[in-house]
Amino acid sequence: EDQVTQSPEALRLQEGESSSLNCSYTVSGLRGLFWYRQDPGKGPEFLFTLYSAGEEKEKERLKATLTKKESFLHITAPKPEDSATYLCAVQAYEDRGSTLGRLYFGRGTQLTVWP
Amino acid sequence: DVKVTQSSRYLVKRTGEKVFLECVQDMDHENMFWYRQDPGLGLRLIYFSYDVKMKEKGDIPEGYSVSREKKERFSLILESASTNQTSMYLCASSPGGATQETQYFGPGTRLLVL
């Protein structure tokens, strides 16, 4: 069973059309939730870390929010250069000692923004 | 800035060959990770290391081994490459010892096994 589920799998937006990506998780204790951006053929690039419910972080047209069981990545007035796959990952309290640094990744949302 | 580098961007190998993928980080991070990424399957953890000479199996360790002789370097070894190991391989590192562990990724190695 996946511990992190992202939806939708793919999203096509017209330039300027705001929307949200969803990341839901099933780990019982959350140490941190991470958002990454991945361009085709490249490694994921870190965007945000969220630690507790109610927290929000912003970067340019992106805003990430966190509730007790899910996170949203809001994209306001997107541009074609925002096209990428967005990955969500969680770090769980269940992990201790040697596995403390482990992250569990969702499968990503592939965002396409067309002009 | 954290920098994680991988030895090759593209690699073509033949079935049965022994393959070495190298990863180096320059931020004195304790933890290092190897993932593979396939369409529709997302990132899957192969192995990780939390200290020099220490390693832990991830979710799909079969057919792979790792080596960490120095803190900055983490190698992934395919003992006898098979076509089902054709994939994008990603290395990552994280600081270690902290409550929240941001992982930083390298550019990836796209491996084709013929």
Side-chain angles (χ1 to χ4, degrees):
Chain A
E1 181 188 343
D2 286 349
Q3 292 167 293
V4 181
T5 303
Q6 292 187 246
S7 61
E9 288 184 15
L11 182 62
R12 288 177 55 86
L13 298 173
Q14 189 168 15
E15 184 171 4
E17 179 187 1
S18 301
S19 188
S20 296
L21 314 182
N22 177 262
C23 171
S24 62
Y25 55 91
T26 58
V27 298
S28 57
L30 181 74
R31 284 189 189 272
L33 185 139
F34 305 80
W35 282 100
Y36 289 83
R37 171 192 169 124
Q38 186 176 23
D39 293 306
K42 297 187 176 181
E45 175 189 344
F46 170 69
L47 292 173
F48 306 110
T49 308
L50 301 167
Y51 304 130
S52 56
E55 189 174 2
E56 298 183 352
K57 289 199 175 167
E58 288 189 63
K59 181 179 180 178
E60 295 180 358
R61 294 176 292 282
L62 300 177
K63 183 167 83 171
T65 62
L66 181 64
T67 70
K68 289 205 169 178
K69 281 298 173 188
E70 58 190 351
S71 176
F72 293 93
L73 186 64
H74 307 277
I75 304 175
T76 302
K79 298 183 177 182
E81 53 262 43
D82 295 321
S83 297
T85 295
Y86 291 86
L87 300 172
C88 171
V90 300
Q91 185 185 10
Y93 268 108
E94 294 96 273
D95 286 303
R96 300 271 190 273
S98 63
T99 64
L100 178 63
R102 175 166 183 165
L103 299 185
Y104 299 88
F105 281 84
R107 299 186 185 194
T109 293
Q110 185 175 6
L111 174 67
T112 304
V113 182
W114 48 284
Chain B
D1 277 353
V2 175
K3 187 135 188 207
V4 179
T5 57
Q6 296 183 227
S7 51
S8 306
R9 291 302 308 276
Y10 300 95
L11 213 48
V12 180
K13 295 292 181 181
R14 298 220 171 263
T15 302
E17 279 192 78
K18 191 168 186 176
V19 182
F20 293 86
L21 303 182
E22 303 283 338
C23 175
V24 177
Q25 51 92 6
D26 67 355
M27 284 303 293
D28 201 35
H29 282 176
E30 301 287 337
N31 297 332
M32 296 188 76
F33 306 82
W34 275 107
Y35 296 89
R36 64 178 283 178
Q37 187 175 35
D38 301 285
L41 297 178
L43 279 165
R44 292 183 291 168
L45 182 64
I46 304 171
Y47 266 100
F48 62 103
S49 169
Y50 54 93
D51 199 352
V52 175
K53 297 190 188 293
M54 306 304 288
K55 62 185 179 186
E56 287 274 351
K57 292 181 180 179
D59 299 322
I60 52 163
E62 297 77 21
Y64 303 94
S65 63
V66 290
S67 172
R68 193 165 179 204
E69 296 296 319
K70 292 186 177 181
K71 191 175 186 180
E72 67 271 19
R73 188 179 299 269
F74 191 35
S75 302
L76 180 69
I77 303 151
L78 286 66
E79 296 290 342
S80 177
S82 64
T83 55
N84 63 13
Q85 292 179 309
T86 290
S87 186
M88 174 71 140
Y89 289 87
L90 290 159
C91 175
S93 71
S94 67
T99 306
Q100 286 89 20
E101 285 286 320
T102 301
Q103 290 185 15
Y104 298 91
F105 284 83
T109 295
R110 192 168 291 281
L111 172 66
L112 173 63
V113 182
L114 300 174

